[in-house]
Amino acid sequence: MFQTIKRLYHQFGSPRYFYEMTGKMQPWLIAGTVLLVIPGLIWGLLFAPPDYLQGNSYRIMYIHVPSASLAMGGYVMMAVAGVIVLVWRMKMAEMVARCIAPIGASFAFLCLVTGAIWGKPTWGTWWVWDARLTSMLILLFLYIGVMALNMAIENPQTAARATAVLSIVGAVNIPIIKYSVEWWNTLHQPASITLTSSSMAPEMLIPLLMCIFGFYFLFAVLLIMATRCEVLAREQRSAWVRQLVGE
Amino acid sequence: MADPVNKPLTTTEAPSLWQGFTALLRRDLLIAFRQRSDLVNPLFFFIMVIALFPLGIGPEKNVLEKIAPGVIWIAALLSTLLSVDSLFRQDFEDGALELALLSPQPLFVLVLGKVVAHWLVSALPLILVSPILSIMLFMDADTVLATLYSLLLGTPVLSMISAIGAALTVGLRKGGVLIAIIALPLYVPVLIFGTGAVQAASMGMPYGGQLAILATFLILALALAPVAIAAGLRISTSG
């Protein structure tokens, strides 16, 4: 088991292997995205029963919840990539970490926008300074800081290492920020799904789970596409890229 | 035979950790006292920002009383942010930073000395004038005391966090706004509990809990931030 992980780690550490393997994986991931997100959204938006309290407005959660989950998961993934950059100086981790930031920031933004649209009919305002909204906003700010630092430094390796330090500092701070903000103000409903139990009817839950997994596939597809471009840009002087573009 | 002149320096002869820390602390304080503007500018900035709020919002006592904790804390936070840009820049430009990197003491100890000096120079004066400004914003005696305590515990954390930003951006020509974008989201917990303590005091409630949490942040920052600052400096000087 450990040997397999170690071998995979070394293989995916090579930009060329990464480029070729992800090229083969990409169609399957796109198929997974399409097969999960489209039926999940159609089921959730059209056929799932309306909520007895919120009516139809709750349906936006089929986009809102997966976005929130990915915005947070993306930051953790970026910090893990940052640790790999600092400890093992792996070139591929630098590229992946750089490509996660804008995707994660987009999901954080999507989460805030869908939350605001849902908040208008439900709470009567577009925005409330509630704990979970505010911590998502701060997560977006953290992403923006990481992106700004990465863009400001010209040397890609220095940029990646500086960004890695910042994303690790941010990841250490995220729980502190989250609990501080929660202490500060709480209005958002607590999470309905935990790992062990769910307070949701299965007709609503199954499409939601389909959307969540589908959005994870979507995240993987976007990340792979962005990272493949990054690989080509960073490795443009190497022989295999020249051969690939037919120089 | 051992050569008495070119004998390699052993670790027992190198200055101790404490000596390294105090040497850098003393040096930075000395530099600050010789360039007095560095000493007073953050202070005047702090006073002026606070004076602008009544002008912008209106002089009513009940309004100012309500926003006073936030105003004082945000002004303190911004003046920390403004002064931190120069924390490593001068040393980076004249090469002193590279000497610190090469010195036998671990970098995080030296960095801690620099940050403590920065806090003594740019944050402590501002904490000392904060009671006057608090009274101008109609706080009562107990609230003024809470402001003082919360600033004493909270501003070192702010200095530590902004020093991480300064370390990561020291090699760049334009640091200022970038440090703000990096550091401001990380200030949130300190701001929440700092203003929380003052607000609790203004309502006559106990505020020991908030101060205890601020003290926890301070201990965490003292333990962890110097490592991040040192890593940032090594990266900034390598490229």
Side-chain angles (χ1 to χ4, degrees):
Chain A
M1 179 65 189
F2 179 71
Q3 289 302 319
T4 322
I5 293 172
K6 207 170 147 191
R7 206 189 64 233
L8 274 176
Y9 174 85
H10 283 292
Q11 282 175 340
F12 274 93
S14 140
R16 182 179 184 175
Y17 184 84
F18 181 93
Y19 188 86
E20 284 166 0
M21 272 318 280
T22 50
K24 285 179 200 153
M25 283 156 67
Q26 211 172 1
W28 297 99
L29 289 170
I30 292 173
T33 311
V34 171
L35 285 177
L36 283 166
V37 172
I38 291 177
L41 280 182
I42 290 175
W43 188 356
L45 295 180
L46 298 176
F47 299 111
D51 187 71
Y52 78 101
L53 264 178
Q54 301 173 12
N56 282 320
S57 71
Y58 88 94
R59 292 181 199 276
I60 203 161
M61 81 170 180
Y62 292 109
I63 295 171
H64 178 74
V65 174
S67 311
S69 156
L70 276 169
M72 290 186 275
Y75 200 94
V76 174
M77 195 174 161
M78 191 166 70
V80 171
V83 172
I84 296 174
V85 167
L86 289 181
V87 176
W88 292 288
R89 312 245 169 130
M90 184 187 182
K91 221 191 220 171
M92 271 322 299
E94 289 176 8
M95 300 184 211
V96 170
R98 183 190 163 96
C99 294
I100 293 174
I103 302 173
S106 313
F107 278 112
F109 183 72
L110 189 63
C111 171
L112 287 171
V113 170
T114 50
I117 295 169
W118 177 82
K120 187 63 184 162
T122 315
W123 291 334
T125 55
W126 294 105
W127 182 262
V128 285
W129 288 97
D130 148 73
R132 288 174 106 187
L133 276 78
T134 313
S135 38
M136 187 52 78
L137 185 67
I138 293 166
L139 182 66
L140 179 61
F141 291 163
L142 286 172
Y143 270 123
I144 290 172
V146 166
M147 280 154 69
L149 183 65
N150 203 322
M151 280 187 273
I153 304 176
E154 270 169 37
N155 179 338
Q157 205 181 2
T158 316
R161 295 178 58 207
T163 313
V165 171
L166 183 62
S167 46
I168 293 166
V169 170
V172 171
N173 267 282
I174 282 178
I176 301 176
I177 293 174
K178 197 172 156 48
Y179 286 107
S180 316
V181 171
E182 230 159 71
W183 181 88
W184 172 68
N185 196 355
T186 302
L187 188 74
H188 196 289
Q189 59 186 34
S192 305
I193 325 171
T194 57
L195 277 182
T196 47
S197 67
S198 156
S199 63
M200 217 184 278
E203 307 87 76
M204 293 180 185
L205 181 64
I206 295 167
L208 180 61
L209 290 177
M210 282 170 78
C211 283
I212 291 178
F213 286 118
F215 268 61
Y216 271 91
F217 273 97
L218 177 64
F219 184 89
V221 171
L222 292 174
L223 181 59
I224 281 176
M225 286 164 99
T227 314
R228 280 163 63 88
C229 289
E230 185 73 21
V231 168
L232 291 184
R234 287 270 291 260
E235 300 289 306
Q236 53 185 310
R237 284 166 208 281
S238 67
W240 69 270
V241 176
R242 282 165 180 253
Q243 203 181 5
L244 194 74
V245 296
E247 245 181 53
Chain B
M1 212 171 86
D3 181 356
V5 181
N6 295 324
K7 192 170 62 168
L9 198 68
T10 57
T11 44
T12 49
E13 286 167 66
S16 69
L17 291 186
W18 179 248
Q19 279 171 323
F21 172 79
T22 47
L24 221 65
L25 181 67
R26 201 177 303 131
R27 170 181 171 274
D28 271 29
L29 289 179
L30 204 62
I31 291 175
F33 278 99
R34 292 195 177 147
Q35 305 173 333
R36 296 248 161 78
S37 69
D38 281 5
L39 209 61
V40 288
N41 283 353
L43 183 63
F44 286 139
F45 175 82
F46 179 66
I47 297 171
M48 285 176 195
V49 167
I50 290 179
L52 284 182
F53 273 88
L55 296 174
I57 291 169
E60 291 83 14
K61 181 172 185 280
N62 53 353
V63 178
L64 288 179
E65 228 173 12
K66 213 169 169 195
I67 62 163
V71 168
I72 288 181
W73 259 96
I74 288 174
L77 186 151
L78 290 178
S79 67
T80 313
L81 205 55
L82 275 184
S83 58
V84 86
D85 190 28
S86 59
L87 178 56
F88 299 114
R89 192 159 298 269
Q90 233 171 3
D91 285 2
F92 179 73
E93 278 161 6
D94 65 16
L97 192 60
E98 259 123 32
L99 283 180
L101 286 167
L102 293 172
S103 71
Q105 285 79 23
L107 187 57
F108 64 86
V109 175
L110 303 178
V111 153
L112 193 62
K114 280 194 78 69
V115 177
V116 170
H118 173 260
W119 179 79
L120 287 173
V121 168
S122 63
L124 194 61
L126 159 169
I127 297 171
L128 295 177
V129 277
S130 74
I132 303 173
L133 294 160
S134 312
I135 291 166
M136 283 166 76
L137 293 173
F138 309 108
M139 286 186 183
D140 55 53
D142 199 32
T143 321
V144 170
L145 210 60
T147 314
L148 202 64
Y149 289 150
S150 69
L151 283 173
L152 267 175
L153 287 169
T155 47
V157 186
L158 299 183
S159 288
M160 292 280 177
I161 294 171
S162 28
I164 299 176
L168 288 171
T169 55
V170 72
L172 304 171
R173 231 164 287 131
K174 38 183 199 313
V177 187
L178 196 58
I179 296 181
I181 289 181
I182 290 173
L184 280 175
L186 303 173
Y187 284 169
V188 169
V190 182
L191 180 67
I192 287 175
F193 286 98
T195 52
V198 184
Q199 269 161 358
S202 71
M203 287 185 279
M205 292 193 295
Y207 52 88
Q210 284 91 324
L211 289 186
I213 291 174
L214 280 178
T216 315
F217 289 158
L218 178 56
I219 292 166
L220 273 178
L222 278 175
L224 300 176
V227 182
I229 299 167
L233 285 177
R234 284 194 198 284
I235 292 165
S236 290
T237 47
S238 70

